[in-house]
Amino acid sequence: MKATAISPANIAFIKYWGRLDHQLFLPVSTTNSMNLDACLATTTVEFNSSWKKDQVVIADDIGQERKVTPQGGQKDQNIFHTLDRMRKLAKFKGGAKVYSKLTFPVGAGIASSAAGLSALVGAGYAALGLREQKVDDPQELSREIRLSGSVSAARSSHDGFTEHLFAKNHQGAYTVQIAPPNHWDLVDLVAVVARQEKKISSALGHELADSSPFWNARLDYLSGKATKTKEAILQKDFLKLAKLAQDDTLNMHAVMMTSTPRALYFTAGTMQILKAIESWQDNEGWPVFFTIDAGANVHVITTQDFKDVIYKALSQCSMVQSILVNNPAIGLRITDHHIF
Ligand code: PMV
């Protein structure tokens, strides 16, 4: 009873922060994103009826392994709840062994939980013999992934540019494709300025969001934004997408910074890149914009034609430690290449 899945992380343009329902993990609006081909999680899951306990290990891009326990934070607990949920649905009793390998830093705002939880659910259901019901139907897969605790993970269930639809109930909230990966040759250069795990995980941050005095203002602001962003993607309108995505980033971070306790993710490195991008936009006229998830690292979006120019300019920013070059990617898939 073993299976392996590969899932990409994604970068959100209209972002998910805060929830309508904390049990069903229902977001407060439709959110959308692009899958990233260089930020992948490969996860092998094996179930065995003679095992009493679960063993979960996550390894990052430099081979650092972390044993995950149910006593960990919210993010770690989501993994064990997900294993329990899958076992219950499959009427299986026994333990699981999970090994997840990522190609990028973990917990640093590059959507490691999106890639990791999505691959866990795909591999888990395939290992339990529920591939047809739960994995091969991408809408149902996306609902199941959302229940693992991450809406961003649910967006990785489909290829390319995707959106997770807003609904007030479980059935209505699922992911659909906006466009396939080859629709638009956008490039996401992730400027890594911090590798360490953030203090407030997104799993916890969602519970804090409505403590911000700007929460209601964000809800008003979000109205119609996902539709406009979808149009910008379909029309390949770079400037329209740039404005929507940058505004949404700053709007979301205003909520993060003002929640109690606050989730202040920006560092001096983040600001260095934001100011550099502002000057490239204003003084050079390069097609480039920023977007930032729950972390310090900056996703720098440009087109294939400008990839080398932006890469070079980013390399000259003193606080950039490394750059991950991403093209739009396919979503979750099952593979025969097991890690163990
Ligand atoms: O889905 P989660 O719980 O990993 O939260 C994602 C939060 C953001 O990355 C900040 C936004 C998003 O929509 O990806």
Side-chain angles (χ1 to χ4, degrees):
M1 299 181 79
K2 188 195 279 193
T4 300
I6 304 175
S7 178
N10 57 68
I11 180 62
F13 298 125
I14 295 300
K15 297 181 191 286
Y16 152 58
W17 196 250
R19 304 186 188 110
L20 198 66
D21 183 308
H22 292 293
Q23 259 77 52
L24 294 173
F25 301 98
L26 293 173
V28 295
S29 77
T30 295
T31 67
N32 47 38
S33 58
M34 174 180 102
N35 288 337
L36 306 177
D37 72 346
C39 294
L40 303 174
T42 304
T43 302
T44 298
V45 182
E46 184 172 6
F47 288 97
N48 189 312
S49 53
S50 61
W51 295 340
K52 299 258 174 312
K53 282 194 174 157
D54 297 329
Q55 270 182 60
V56 179
V57 175
I58 298 176
D60 68 8
D61 56 324
I62 52 172
Q64 260 168 5
E65 291 185 341
R66 185 170 77 87
K67 275 205 178 98
V68 185
T69 66
Q71 289 75 42
Q74 185 67 61
K75 204 176 68 173
D76 292 352
Q77 286 168 22
N78 283 345
I79 296 173
F80 293 94
H81 291 158
T82 301
L83 289 171
D84 288 344
R85 185 183 152 72
M86 293 193 288
R87 268 190 288 248
K88 202 170 157 196
L89 246 128
K91 298 188 173 58
F92 172 82
K93 287 200 168 60
K97 189 171 166 189
V98 177
Y99 195 103
S100 189
K101 234 161 83 174
L102 287 98
T103 59
F104 57 105
V106 175
I110 318 176
S112 52
S113 53
L117 285 172
S118 145
L120 174 71
V121 173
Y125 276 125
L128 287 164
L130 293 178
R131 181 167 173 177
E132 235 172 78
Q133 296 96 307
K134 295 289 180 189
V135 186
D136 293 347
D137 169 356
Q139 270 183 20
E140 181 56 11
L141 175 64
S142 71
R143 289 190 197 94
E144 283 295 338
I145 298 173
R146 172 170 46 74
L147 289 180
S148 73
S150 169
V151 170
S152 61
R155 292 191 308 250
S156 291
S157 57
H158 288 55
D159 294 348
F161 299 81
T162 74
E163 64 180 358
H164 190 78
L165 301 174
F166 167 77
K168 289 183 179 164
N169 58 67
H170 172 64
Q171 269 312 101
Y174 56 84
T175 302
V176 291
Q177 186 185 63
I178 297 175
N182 63 2
H183 164 71
W184 196 2
D185 62 351
L186 290 184
V187 180
D188 176 7
L189 301 169
V190 186
V192 179
V193 293
R195 284 191 57 93
Q196 67 271 27
E197 284 223 19
K198 56 205 180 204
K199 263 203 329 231
I200 298 205
S201 69
S202 47
L204 174 60
H206 294 297
E207 293 177 10
L208 308 175
D210 64 2
S211 67
S212 162
F214 300 129
W215 175 243
N216 286 326
R218 174 153 178 81
L219 296 184
D220 289 346
Y221 157 88
L222 279 169
S223 164
K225 290 295 187 300
T227 308
K228 287 203 173 84
T229 306
K230 181 180 164 176
E231 280 164 13
I233 292 169
L234 289 172
Q235 295 158 357
K236 298 193 232 177
D237 186 334
F238 191 89
L239 288 180
K240 188 167 164 182
L241 182 63
K243 164 113 181 81
L244 285 158
Q246 290 189 158
D247 285 356
D248 189 63
T249 294
L250 298 176
N251 187 292
M252 177 184 72
H253 278 271
V255 169
M256 291 166 155
M257 286 177 197
T258 51
S259 67
T260 306
R262 83 173 74 93
L264 177 54
Y265 295 116
F266 286 14
T267 63
T270 313
M271 288 313 293
Q272 184 186 54
I273 312 299
L274 295 195
K275 295 314 276 180
I277 290 175
E278 206 169 63
S279 98
W280 301 337
Q281 291 170 334
D282 295 349
N283 305 327
E284 312 290 344
W286 295 340
V288 60
F289 68 86
F290 65 80
T291 171
I292 305 165
D293 279 347
N297 299 311
V298 185
H299 292 253
V300 184
I301 315 286
T302 186
T303 58
Q304 196 65 35
D305 292 348
F306 275 79
K307 181 179 86 181
D308 293 341
V309 172
I310 304 293
Y311 189 98
K312 193 166 165 219
L314 271 176
S315 320
Q316 285 160 3
C317 293
S318 61
M319 290 179 175
V320 172
Q321 298 170 11
S322 59
I323 302 168
L324 304 165
V325 183
N326 291 279
N327 300 299
I330 59 169
L332 180 130
R333 66 262 190 202
I334 302 291
T335 165
D336 292 336
H337 300 287
H338 304 307
I339 301 176
F340 60 86

